[in-house]
Amino acid sequence: MTNQMVSKVEEKVLILERVFNAPRELVFQAFSQAEHLKHWWGPRGWTLPVCHVDFRIGGVWHYCMKCEDKNQGDYYGMESWGKGVYREIVVPEKIVYVDYFSDAEGNVAENMPETNITLTFIETDSGTKVINRAEYATAEGLQQVLDMGMLQGITDTWNRLVEHLESIQKNG
């Protein structure tokens, strides 16, 4: 079985699916706890020097991804700030949040599209299937982030999650 990500675009919605070879509770924790997120969130070559998670309805996840890889040229040293506001949490089945581009103070970047994200965690015979449903206000907003390379970034990010889950289970 390959654990490749499946993606599909339906107008203004991007749906990503992938099976992770780990128990559902662990995968859920990886998406909801700063000590996990710091190890895998962001594309390869990027770190998460800032990661504040207030994991409750109305709580905020504020983070900074920073490119530490000199081979990434102009991206080297770049920071990308993000902010999520949790709308619904059902442990260990579902996380719903609104995702924003932001600045270091947490102010929303008005020129960038916000995303309504629903993460669903489903137990399977081989682990946990994660379905990430990202809905944008417009198809143009979705296209804007796709044009920025978001799909490659999330593929890298989820590959790093696979490695993180493997290392936890091996060393756990």
Side-chain angles (χ1 to χ4, degrees):
M1 145 141 198
T2 69
N3 275 352
Q4 293 307 304
M5 185 174 72
V6 176
S7 64
K8 59 185 174 216
V9 174
E10 297 172 354
E11 263 186 78
K12 59 181 183 173
V13 178
L14 175 65
I15 300 167
L16 309 171
E17 297 182 6
R18 186 163 181 176
V19 175
F20 296 93
N21 185 15
R24 181 166 72 163
E25 288 75 16
L26 178 59
V27 177
F28 188 91
Q29 288 169 4
F31 277 88
S32 60
Q33 296 177 0
E35 54 268 26
H36 284 292
L37 287 160
K38 288 178 193 171
H39 291 281
W40 67 270
W41 188 262
R44 207 168 294 286
W46 292 66
T47 60
L48 210 61
V50 176
C51 183
H52 302 291
V53 178
D54 181 8
F55 192 64
R56 61 183 173 83
I57 293 172
V60 171
W61 171 33
H62 188 224
Y63 63 91
C64 172
M65 297 186 302
K66 183 171 183 174
C67 183
E68 305 282 359
D69 181 359
K70 290 187 168 100
N71 294 323
Q72 293 191 25
D74 290 345
Y75 291 108
Y76 178 68
M78 180 189 239
E79 291 183 352
S80 178
W81 287 85
K83 174 180 173 177
V85 179
Y86 296 107
R87 297 283 185 236
E88 183 183 352
I89 297 169
V90 182
V91 180
E93 298 168 15
K94 182 163 72 167
I95 302 170
V96 178
Y97 67 100
V98 183
D99 188 52
Y100 303 94
F101 290 86
S102 77
D103 64 14
E105 285 75 47
N107 300 306
V108 171
E110 299 295 338
N111 60 332
M112 296 299 296
E114 68 182 56
T115 317
N116 289 296
I117 295 183
T118 301
L119 289 167
T120 309
F121 303 83
I122 302 165
E123 283 185 274
T124 68
D125 292 341
S126 57
T128 305
K129 181 179 195 174
V130 175
I131 302 170
N132 180 331
R133 186 179 193 281
E135 184 170 346
Y136 293 79
T138 63
E140 292 77 21
L142 171 55
Q143 192 59 52
Q144 184 179 356
V145 296
L146 289 173
D147 290 346
M148 291 169 56
M150 188 267 294
L151 204 51
Q152 181 59 47
I154 198 74
T155 301
D156 265 7
T157 298
W158 282 17
N159 287 340
R160 290 180 65 198
L161 174 56
V162 167
E163 295 161 11
H164 176 64
L165 293 168
E166 284 173 357
S167 80
I168 289 176
Q169 293 180 94
K170 190 170 61 187
N171 302 324

